[in-house]
Amino acid sequence: MYLKAGNNQLLFKYHSIAQYHQDLLTGTTSCVEAVQHYLQQIDARRHLNAYVNTYGGEALKRAAELDASRKAGKPTGKLHGVVIALKDVIAYKDHPLTAASKILEGFNPVFNATAVDRLLAEEAIIIGHTNCDEFAMGSTNENSSYGKVLNALDETRVPGGSSGGSAVAVQAGLCMVSLGSDTGGSVRQPADFCGVVGLKPTYGRISRHGLIAYASSFDQIGIFAANVPDVALVLEVIAGPDDFDSTGALQPVDAYSNLTPLPAKPLRIAYFKEALESPALDNEIRQSILEFAAKLQADGHTVAPVEFEYLDFIVPAYYILTTAEASSNLSRYDGVKYGHRNLAKNNSLTDFYCATRSEGFGWEVKRRIMLGTFVLSAGYYDAYFTKAQQVRKLLVDKINLIFSQFDTILLPTAPSTAFRIGEKTEDPISMYLADIFTVFSNLTGIPTISIPLFWHSNGMPYGVQIMTNQFSELYLLQLSQLWMQQFRHAG
Amino acid sequence: MSINYDEYEIVVGLEVHAQLLTNSKLFCGDSAAFGGDPNTHISPITLAHPGTLPKLNKKAITYAVKIGLACNCSITRHNYFARKNYFYPDLPKGYQLSQHTTPVCQGGFVTIRTQEGTRDIRLNRIHMEEDAGKSLHDVDPNNTCVDYNRAGVPLVEIVTEPDIHSGDEAYAYLTELRKLLRYLEICDGNMEEGSMRCDANISVRKKGDTKLGTKVEVKNLNSIRNVKRAIEFESKRLIDILESGEKVIQQTRSFDAGNGTTFALRTKEDANDYRYFADPDLTPFVVTDELLHEVRASIPALPEERVVRYTQELQLPDYDARVITDEKELAVYFEQIIEHTKNYKAAANWMLGPVKSWLNETGGSITAFPVPPATIAALIALIDSNQVNFSVASTKLFAALLKEPGKQPLQLAKELNLLQDSDEGNVAAWIEEVLNKMPDKVAEYKKGKKGLIGLFVGEVKKVSKGKADPKLTNDILLKKLQ
């Protein structure tokens, strides 16, 4: 499996963490070999622009140390030698962190995100930071100060966003697994566009300490991988309470990696009728979801449509609340303490702030700061912010009601397959509306995964979202694993 | 035409910011201590590095509840922090975390005493918030520097209703409030260092009017006296404006302690829209029954309560009771003395006399006073049993005790030969000696100049080196001179 080719290139093939660990134990491969392989691949596919920084030297050094330690018979960590990429919004001590924004140029965090600490403690190897939309704001990865990321399956298409780089890094085999962040679909939608698995856990399941905030009450670190067991193992390592994040959940962490098959009993599966009837939804996608539902029904499960009368409110509510929080979260980038600073002689403090922030932020970020400032301002607060909070409350009530009657909800991940590059940049409203199926999970906090079950006639992959109740990640992953095995169409 | 200022009523509301004496800041573990070299009490959280999150300091909550209970407030059970959004270099996050909509304490009052009597100043609210850093304009000629040591230090803001009607009342209120904060050991109340800060909202109206006049807010009041001065100056200025037929403009002004005047900082048009909303990085916190009981149990006897006890149970004069309760440590010391003596008035006299003099002379606090309270009680016992007279005890013996505070007064009095002599033979001998020395005076006395008795007593005291029992001296003298 790891033969050397004629040009002496390593033919490292990655399937899963479990397989890799077995190969390490039998000596078929080594951590160094794995890291070398990924560094070569990253180099060969630099034009995809998936990474903004790679840490090759230190990754190799760490790989060698891990190899030595393993060979010396020392116990190995759960993620021993697993090569992982981080979205450029997750802090890795003494490594650049910019959120793909000019305003954070030159910034090096002085601490690790809790998720990173936990990865490292289980002997993972961080290979680099991946590209993304600036401050995780975007659905195409076109809003990055490092330039756009290309979809490896069709380079005229976007990878989705905002965690586009992390999705492509897994899609194109530039790492084993990657972390992203999901505020309104930023893990699930690029996973869908790139044909990989993307999980957004329950809000609070993974500490946000060290995750650059976009919208605090929505943000959650998510995981990309080629398969469900890899996602499960990484989640098991990084989930759990953290003293640094008081919004983190105190629920105990299940052994997510123990994906025992679900007992064969009929499931109660819901789908949103209005969502599948939405005119914005691509016809092929609609058809395959309906066929999928029909197969499940044929297998003896209950599949039923539920009324979802709030569909038209969720995108507006999402954009009002997230931009409101963002406008405040991004106030700290003012050029005073770190990051970009306008050095001209400014007449006043206000001039200084304006110059610094005008230069530092890109258009999409500015648009959202303005929107958020507007919806919180006196005179508009009740009409927008308060109303959106009420919608959010209704949605939470609705989800509780649904999960009192159903085990899971099925929903398309995106209304279409990956957009063409530039297709949506001139029309932010239509871009925002494309988030219609993903923002629901962030508004309500429930865990949701996108699994790549289907292929479109246009040659692109797409998936389906599976949603379950709060903190039922183990069940969600078991279900995903089952359906990936049963229903995944070969590409 | 002269202005009749008495036709006007002054209406003042005070906002006091008190820095809480917690070890760490309100939302992180950095030291909350005053001072320190610039930017030494900071961490990524204080500096609002990307990805940092706040974590609430539970101690600060108990402190805020403490002052609330001491001020008779009702305690809010479900609380959250809101973000107050504005840009300023000393505000690292670009917003201040403050209990905008759910102040932890509501209502309540503080009782003040002025020459006009006793009155309750009603409170509107007490809420928690984090302090900002400090902009330093005098460190570098070309730049403003920022020190973030103070950023995130917990504050309570104590807001009165517009219930104060003179500079004197403001003075009394602040003195009382500071006393409470110090009694509770939650703030050192040092206005010069800024650990207690006060803004005054001042307006005036014709007596009998029910509508409040347009207010001005006066800032930079760095002592209780300056608050009083600022109110007196500013209310007069406002009355002068109204009397000249003009209108008061709502504005923020600063007090210039140098010349006792105020000057305009900004007008209302510059007001910020703070865009308050609940901080999504913190979960709401609940003041539980347990916490409330725990805090209530930890509150020491407050000054008013002690004054009542001292005047009623111990029969002390009101003046004595107030002086002793002015600082908790003084009261505690006094109460330790009376654990060892029943002569409460004597204990109070020692507090108000020799002990207070020592505090004034040394500028020290009672906690640094070397003589143990039980020793003061022993001194009182020596006097009460006629073994030492008060004047000897309060001068020679007290001075000796300050040098050797570990010694027992009786022992020391013996060593220094200060014990009174009550032996009739000895006293009679000293009297004999004195009377023999001044036969003329004795003759004059016998002729009716009875006032000379004082001279004889004094002479006996002199020859006995103060040891002769004064009462016995008097008795024997009277007999001998008959």
Side-chain angles (χ1 to χ4, degrees), chain B residues 186-467:
Chain B
I186 62 174
C187 172
D188 65 21
N190 189 332
M191 286 188 75
E192 289 72 26
E193 282 181 356
S195 58
M196 181 170 141
R197 304 192 282 273
C198 180
D199 300 335
N201 288 299
I202 304 168
S203 65
V204 296
R205 64 180 170 194
K206 275 268 169 75
K207 277 184 179 159
D209 281 2
T210 48
K211 202 167 156 278
L212 289 171
T214 306
K215 67 169 184 182
V216 294
E217 185 179 8
V218 182
K219 290 184 172 291
N220 295 327
L221 302 167
N222 68 350
S223 71
I224 292 182
R225 190 172 148 260
N226 282 344
V227 175
K228 174 172 136 80
R229 288 170 72 203
I231 290 169
E232 283 162 359
F233 173 84
E234 188 60 23
S235 56
K236 183 169 177 301
R237 193 186 71 87
L238 294 177
I239 293 168
D240 290 344
I241 289 174
L242 293 178
E243 283 288 314
S244 69
E246 284 171 52
K247 278 202 166 116
V248 173
I249 320 163
Q250 184 169 342
Q251 57 182 194
T252 303
R253 300 178 71 84
S254 181
F255 182 68
D256 182 343
N259 59 19
T261 64
T262 66
F263 59 91
L265 284 176
R266 55 182 177 265
T267 56
K268 196 188 174 235
E269 283 78 66
D270 308 325
N272 262 313
D273 178 356
Y274 291 118
R275 292 170 283 123
Y276 289 99
F277 67 100
D279 183 18
D281 286 334
L282 284 166
T283 47
F285 71 90
V286 176
V287 178
T288 58
D289 288 344
E290 292 96 299
L291 181 73
L292 210 52
H293 291 144
E294 199 179 292
V295 174
R296 192 166 273 138
S298 75
I299 293 179
L302 295 174
E304 236 4 82
E305 191 183 333
R306 284 184 148 114
V307 165
V308 168
R309 194 181 142 224
Y310 293 180
T311 51
Q312 295 183 0
E313 267 180 48
L314 309 182
Q315 299 288 318
L316 293 185
D318 189 70
Y319 175 82
D320 292 20
R322 297 211 174 268
V323 173
I324 293 167
T325 56
D326 202 33
E327 285 173 42
K328 188 176 77 177
E329 289 73 17
L330 275 182
V332 166
Y333 189 90
F334 169 75
E335 287 169 17
Q336 285 169 343
I337 299 176
I338 63 171
E339 279 172 23
H340 303 279
T341 177
K342 291 274 173 283
N343 193 344
Y344 308 129
K345 179 59 182 142
N349 289 346
W350 275 92
M351 292 299 298
L352 270 58
V355 175
K356 262 275 181 192
S357 308
W358 181 87
L359 293 175
N360 292 341
E361 278 161 28
T362 59
S365 100
I366 187 74
T367 48
F369 183 62
V371 183
T375 304
I376 301 290
L379 270 176
I380 293 171
L382 275 187
I383 297 163
D384 289 349
S385 63
N386 259 342
Q387 290 177 276
V388 179
N389 66 54
F390 179 77
S391 101
V392 168
S394 64
T395 52
K396 292 182 184 159
L397 195 48
F398 185 67
L401 274 170
L402 286 171
K403 288 192 192 107
E404 294 182 89
K407 286 234 165 116
Q408 282 306 309
L410 177 61
Q411 174 67 26
L412 207 52
K414 276 183 189 155
E415 285 174 23
L416 298 172
N417 204 17
L418 294 174
L419 282 180
Q420 240 165 221
D421 203 325
S422 304
D423 183 283
E424 270 189 47
N426 289 344
V427 175
W430 283 317
I431 289 173
E432 206 62 37
E433 188 186 334
V434 167
L435 296 184
N436 288 342
K437 266 200 292 189
M438 36 182 72
D440 314 351
K441 300 285 177 195
V442 173
E444 276 178 49
Y445 177 89
K446 286 188 173 163
K447 276 182 205 154
K449 215 169 172 191
K450 303 290 179 202
L452 283 170
I453 187 82
L455 172 76
F456 300 135
V457 172
E459 283 301 307
V460 173
K461 200 172 167 189
K462 223 185 269 171
V463 298
S464 72
K465 298 197 174 79
K467 286 168 64 186

Side-chain angles (χ1 to χ4, degrees), chain A residues 123-165:
Chain A
E123 302 187 336
I125 298 170
I126 310 289
I127 195 155
H129 269 112
T130 54
N131 207 341
C132 57
D133 284 302
E134 184 178 359
F135 283 101
M137 296 176 184
S139 310
T140 61
N141 215 137
E142 292 169 294
N143 312 320
S144 162
S145 68
Y146 300 99
K148 57 185 180 288
V149 178
L150 308 183
N151 191 312
L153 279 166
D154 178 347
E155 295 181 6
T156 68
R157 292 182 190 266
V158 302
S162 64
S163 313

Side-chain angles (χ1 to χ4, degrees), chain A residues 107 110 208-212 216 243-247 328-329 331-333 336-338 349 353 376-378 381, chain B residues 44 47-55 83 85 87-89 92-95 148 273 275-277 280-283:
Chain A
F107 180 75
V110 295
R208 292 187 294 119
H209 175 64
L211 169 67
I212 293 185
S216 308
D243 276 347
F244 285 108
D245 180 1
S246 39
T247 64
S328 173
N329 281 335
S331 297
R332 64 187 59 194
Y333 308 109
V336 174
K337 306 164 297 280
Y338 47 75
L349 186 60
Y353 285 142
L376 285 173
S377 57
Y381 197 99
Chain B
L47 294 178
H49 276 205
T52 52
L53 299 166
K55 189 180 167 69
R83 294 185 180 180
N85 293 285
F87 285 98
Y88 205 71
K93 294 189 288 292
Y95 52 83
Y148 289 108
D273 178 356
R275 292 170 283 123
Y276 289 99
F277 67 100
D281 286 334
L282 284 166
T283 47

Side-chain angles (χ1 to χ4, degrees), chain B residues 461-480:
Chain B
K461 200 172 167 189
K462 223 185 269 171
V463 298
S464 72
K465 298 197 174 79
K467 286 168 64 186
D469 181 330
K471 190 167 178 303
L472 194 59
T473 307
N474 217 47
D475 291 350
I476 298 177
L477 259 176
L478 287 174
K479 252 187 249 163
K480 293 223 171 196

Side-chain angles (χ1 to χ4, degrees), chain B residues 102-127:
Chain B
T102 57
V104 66
C105 313
Q106 303 188 56
F109 59 88
V110 171
T111 305
I112 61 162
R113 300 167 66 87
T114 59
Q115 283 171 339
E116 278 128 68
T118 303
R119 203 160 79 74
D120 291 340
I121 303 297
R122 287 172 305 147
L123 299 184
N124 174 284
R125 55 153 62 194
I126 301 175
H127 72 252

